[in-house]
Amino acid sequence: MATTEKLITTVSTKGQVILPSAIRKRKDWGAGTRLQVEDTPEGVLLKLAPAFAPTRPQDVFGVLPHTGKPKTLEEMDAGVLAEARRRHARD
């Protein structure tokens, strides 16, 4: 869309705004698409809402129980590499 193209929409009595179909198609925003709304000095910014809430590593460490001896970094790297090779071999 050219920056000079001006599209106009109307706010309904329920506070709803219909986005022009050209924009929805270009952004691939179908029905049910969750959008994040941000108030900016220039107006309102719509962005795709993140699929998951932001988390910090300390929030999720220890979520899954583990019994046994801890793995070394080398063992973890080897396990990841083995799984990547296994998945690549399927293709």
Side-chain angles (χ1 to χ4, degrees):
M1 172 167 53
T3 56
T4 59
E5 183 179 358
K6 301 285 186 197
L7 301 172
I8 297 175
T9 190
T10 304
V11 178
S12 75
T13 57
K14 293 182 178 182
Q16 298 168 327
V17 175
I18 296 175
L19 296 175
S21 64
I23 292 174
R24 292 193 320 265
K25 287 177 185 172
R26 197 170 303 117
K27 296 291 186 181
D28 196 23
W29 290 351
T33 300
R34 293 175 31 114
L35 299 174
Q36 184 175 343
V37 181
E38 185 178 326
D39 190 10
T40 70
E42 292 84 24
V44 176
L45 174 65
L46 298 176
K47 299 189 289 189
L48 278 178
F52 301 100
T55 57
R56 301 172 303 161
Q58 56 267 36
D59 295 335
V60 295
F61 283 153
V63 171
L64 299 175
H66 175 73
T67 57
K69 180 180 136 193
K71 303 287 184 198
T72 66
L73 290 176
E74 291 78 17
E75 290 170 322
M76 288 188 274
D77 287 341
V80 169
L81 182 59
E83 179 62 13
R85 285 183 177 146
R86 185 187 71 79
R87 289 184 186 192
H88 183 67
R90 288 190 309 200
D91 297 337

